[in-house]
Amino acid sequence: MKGLKNILKNAISLSLVLILVCGIAYPMALTVTGQVLFKDKAEGSFIEVDGEKVGSKNIGQQFTEPYFFKGRVSSVNYNTYTEKDKEDGTYEGPSSGSFNYAPSNPELKKRVEASIDEFLKNNPEVNREDIPADLMTASGSGLDPNISVKSAEIQVPAISKASGISEEKLNKMIKENTDSKFLGIFGEERVNVLELNIDVYKSMNKNK
């Protein structure tokens, strides 16, 4: 009987210690560390314009206006929806993911062709074979906030016409919003679409 009591005592003591360490101390330590050393990232890397949050640097969003740069194709439509979509159940809430089509799936070709046609409609100066692959393919999450430098540059003529901003200035904005390769060797250079479009927005409003 005494042995059973010792076992129960040790089990309860261990449980309490683990609750204190893993359930309270560790989460608090991470929260404090995040707020002190990585406050912006810990709070979602939100970007503000005129005191209002317009999005997160790490989560892509849909841009439909002709004077804004477009991001990659999104299988979840960047969680954009209308009241009608919400009412009829078309939109079921925030999500992420890809189309997950196999290369042999005819739906993949159908989807890509539709995306190409839409892009060429909005960018008549571009040749079909010059469209960068990343613009026509979805990321694994469907929420990629970045595009390749080439994908941004190829949209410049159309954006220039719609916004009234010179192509030279738009190309300068692209360079200013280009992130380098990680440690200079890993990955590819990338352009954050939201930050680039904020510069477009500010430039357009500055000229008004």
Side-chain angles (χ1 to χ4, degrees):
M1 193 70 178
K2 186 176 180 181
L4 179 60
K5 286 183 178 180
N6 287 333
I7 292 174
L8 289 174
K9 182 180 178 181
N10 292 334
I12 293 173
S13 297
L14 179 60
S15 297
L16 290 174
V17 170
L18 290 175
I19 289 173
L20 288 172
V21 174
C22 300
I24 299 177
Y26 180 66
M28 285 183 65
L30 286 182
T31 300
V32 172
T33 301
Q35 289 295 318
V36 174
L37 300 179
F38 311 101
K39 183 175 177 60
D40 179 60
K41 292 181 179 179
E43 295 184 352
S45 299
F46 285 109
I47 299 175
E48 293 187 1
V49 176
D50 298 329
E52 182 179 348
K53 292 179 180 178
V54 296
S56 169
K57 180 178 180 179
N58 299 321
I59 300 177
Q61 56 183 279
Q62 186 181 45
F63 295 96
T64 57
E65 293 82 356
Y67 46 80
F68 281 150
F69 286 85
K70 310 300 184 294
R72 299 178 65 181
V73 175
S74 171
S75 59
V76 295
N77 202 31
Y78 290 108
N79 288 315
T80 301
Y81 65 97
T82 63
E83 284 298 326
K84 183 177 180 299
D85 294 332
K86 193 173 181 180
E87 290 172 2
D88 63 20
T90 303
Y91 177 77
E92 299 178 347
S95 62
S96 66
S98 66
F99 293 102
N100 205 29
Y101 292 140
S104 58
N105 192 325
E107 288 298 318
L108 175 60
K109 182 178 180 180
K110 182 179 178 182
R111 201 279 301 158
V112 172
E113 287 294 334
S115 297
I116 291 175
D117 290 342
E118 179 68 16
F119 184 81
L120 292 176
K121 176 183 175 182
N122 297 323
N123 298 268
E125 303 88 351
V126 177
N127 294 320
R128 180 188 178 94
E129 60 272 17
D130 294 331
I131 302 176
D134 65 297
L135 273 182
M136 299 297 105
T137 54
S139 64
S141 67
L143 301 173
D144 190 350
N146 306 308
I147 55 177
S148 65
V149 176
K150 180 63 177 177
S151 290
E153 292 175 341
I154 205 167
Q155 299 182 59
V156 166
I159 303 298
S160 179
K161 286 184 178 180
S163 66
I165 303 172
S166 69
E167 293 189 16
E168 180 182 3
K169 189 170 183 179
L170 287 171
N171 280 313
K172 183 180 179 182
M173 290 180 186
I174 291 173
K175 288 183 179 179
E176 292 173 345
N177 287 285
T178 298
D179 292 325
S180 304
K181 297 179 180 181
F182 181 62
L183 297 179
I185 55 175
F186 298 109
E188 298 294 335
E189 292 186 333
R190 58 207 178 279
V191 180
N192 189 278
V193 182
L194 174 58
E195 292 183 319
L196 176 57
N197 281 334
I198 288 175
D199 281 355
V200 171
Y201 167 81
K202 289 180 176 178
S203 180
M204 290 177 64
N205 281 271
K206 184 178 180 180
N207 295 329
K208 288 183 178 180

